[in-house]
Amino acid sequence: MSDVDSRLDAGAEAPVFDQDVDASGLTCPLPILRAKKALATMESGQVVRVITTDRNAIRDFQAFSRQTGNALVAQHEVDGRCVHFLRRR
């Protein structure tokens, strides 16, 4: 279990994921581009976890999910980082 997973909000459970992308320190559009690249290598139904520090990433990933049809399974904020879980369409 990673440091981020161990400090999720009480009662929040991290979804199981198949790939992990650490986009900490990167600003828009780089976290989205990293997620898109990871999703392109995955099979339908698999989940990628993306860790970001960009404050705008929450809205960015919500919009990305709507525009691409990849489901945004969960988003959690932990100590200035946001963890996004996307399921490949």
Side-chain angles (χ1 to χ4, degrees):
M1 180 180 294
S2 78
D3 185 45
V4 171
D5 290 335
S6 66
R7 290 185 285 144
L8 289 175
D9 298 329
E13 191 171 315
V16 175
F17 57 93
D18 303 287
Q19 274 199 51
D20 199 20
V21 175
D22 187 353
S24 298
L26 302 177
T27 58
C28 183
L30 293 176
I32 294 292
L33 293 175
R34 296 263 174 105
K36 186 175 179 180
K37 184 176 179 179
L39 286 165
T41 68
M42 299 170 71
E43 295 181 20
S44 181
Q46 289 187 309
V47 175
V48 61
R49 177 179 79 165
V50 184
I51 300 171
T52 62
T53 52
D54 183 358
R55 300 185 95 185
N56 297 316
I58 293 173
R59 289 190 314 270
D60 292 345
F61 275 88
Q62 291 168 354
F64 176 74
S65 173
R66 283 191 305 273
Q67 292 170 358
T68 63
N70 295 298
L72 184 59
V73 178
Q75 286 182 305
H76 305 285
E77 287 187 75
V78 180
D79 294 339
R81 293 187 282 181
C82 193
V83 184
H84 317 269
F85 295 88
L86 290 161
R87 179 174 288 117
R88 173 85 161 95
R89 60 180 162 91

